[in-house]
Amino acid sequence: MNAGIGTAADYPGVFVSIEGGEGGGKSTQIALLCEALRARGKTVLATREPGGSEGAEAIRALLVQGETGRWDAMSELLLLLAARRDHLRRTILPALAEGAWVVSDRFGDSTMAYQGYAHGLGRAVVETLAQAAIDGFSPALTFILDLPVAEGLARAGGRGPSGEDRFERMGTAFHQRLRDGFLDIARREPERCRVVDASRPVAAVHAEMLGHLLQRWPELAKAAAR
Ligand code: TMP
């Protein structure tokens, strides 16, 4: 099945995703990572999921607000893939085509972990539909910010009443399956995924992520930050 998206190798840019459960400090780490890349002369686009294009942001509001039972798992999966396809076509792929680095706050691994593992849809249906919708498009490198469930939920709860807490309210057992799911994804794809212990101070987490980035793209070290 050809969804007209292609693979990462078709584009000169570099696509990186940051993943993990709630309260792992993704936003802070993305800001630091983008700053480090820009200091090395790269053009960087930071984006997020669900969202990142006008249509996908509209779908985001449907997903992250309201009652936990508002959608069943399959409806969530279909909404997420509709949002992802729009985000790819309108935002990510044009930037990658111009040679930019694109850093996304969540991507396909969130769908596998939240809908596939935590909601229990299973790997096969998520993989099959992602293949049909977006050619199974996948980042070159993925950071999974890992921390104990209780710690993550406590941190996320401290973010204030954004109204975007539909998934946070899904219960501890859901979030434990989610964490286990992310770790299983990383075990299955060690080439692409780096698990980072996010319970440490911000600077330590950033240093480890930057180290992984430089290991994967040693040419970045030559353009060291001044
Ligand atoms: P955020 O907390 O990173 O802003 O993400 C919004 C929520 O959407 C988060 O609770 C996880 C959820 N989500 C999924 O369930 N599946 C997905 O594929 C994505 C991208 C997000």
Side-chain angles (χ1 to χ4, degrees):
M1 171 108 201
N2 185 341
I5 302 287
T7 69
D10 298 330
Y11 300 87
V14 180
F15 184 33
V16 174
S17 63
I18 319 292
E19 294 279 8
E22 315 290 329
K26 286 186 286 97
S27 313
T28 306
Q29 292 302 332
I30 286 168
L32 291 171
L33 205 65
C34 290
E35 199 180 299
L37 284 165
R38 289 191 182 107
R40 289 164 174 80
K42 301 297 175 190
T43 302
V44 185
L45 174 73
T47 188
R48 70 167 181 180
E49 290 223 343
S53 66
E54 196 183 333
E57 288 289 335
I59 294 174
R60 176 188 177 93
L62 299 175
L63 282 161
V64 300
Q65 297 172 7
E67 294 304 311
T68 53
R70 180 178 187 183
W71 308 104
D72 77 348
M74 179 57 85
S75 304
E76 266 177 33
L77 173 59
L78 296 171
L79 285 167
L80 284 157
L81 288 174
R84 183 157 305 136
R85 182 171 170 84
D86 195 65
H87 183 206
L88 269 169
R89 292 185 63 245
R90 295 180 193 277
T91 306
I92 296 176
L93 298 183
L96 292 177
E98 288 184 2
W101 284 65
V102 177
V103 180
S104 187
D105 182 340
R106 302 191 181 281
F107 197 70
D109 297 311
S110 277
T111 312
M112 184 58 87
Y114 280 81
Q115 282 66 44
Y117 287 78
H119 273 323
L121 281 180
R123 293 186 56 87
V125 68
V126 175
E127 270 169 6
T128 302
L129 292 183
Q131 191 61 39
I134 59 160
D135 288 337
F137 195 86
S138 178
L141 188 68
T142 296
F143 294 103
I144 294 175
L145 302 190
D146 178 62
L147 80 170
V149 168
E151 205 180 316
L153 288 176
R155 282 206 215 168
R159 279 192 303 205
S162 64
E164 292 202 335
D165 60 351
R166 181 169 163 260
F167 287 92
E168 272 165 49
R169 288 185 265 114
M170 286 189 183
T172 306
F174 177 90
H175 288 279
Q176 192 59 55
R177 291 195 295 279
L178 178 69
R179 184 186 186 196
D180 295 343
F182 274 122
L183 294 175
D184 194 44
I185 291 167
R187 271 192 296 272
R188 286 166 180 266
E189 290 187 73
E191 285 296 305
R192 177 174 65 85
C193 299
R194 304 284 179 276
V195 177
V196 178
D197 175 359
S199 62
R200 294 169 302 158
V202 166
V205 174
H206 173 62
E208 184 181 341
M209 289 172 66
L210 192 57
H212 288 309
L213 209 67
L214 295 175
Q215 199 171 34
R216 175 69 197 267
W217 290 282
E219 64 274 20
L220 283 174
K222 289 183 205 129
R226 277 181 280 273

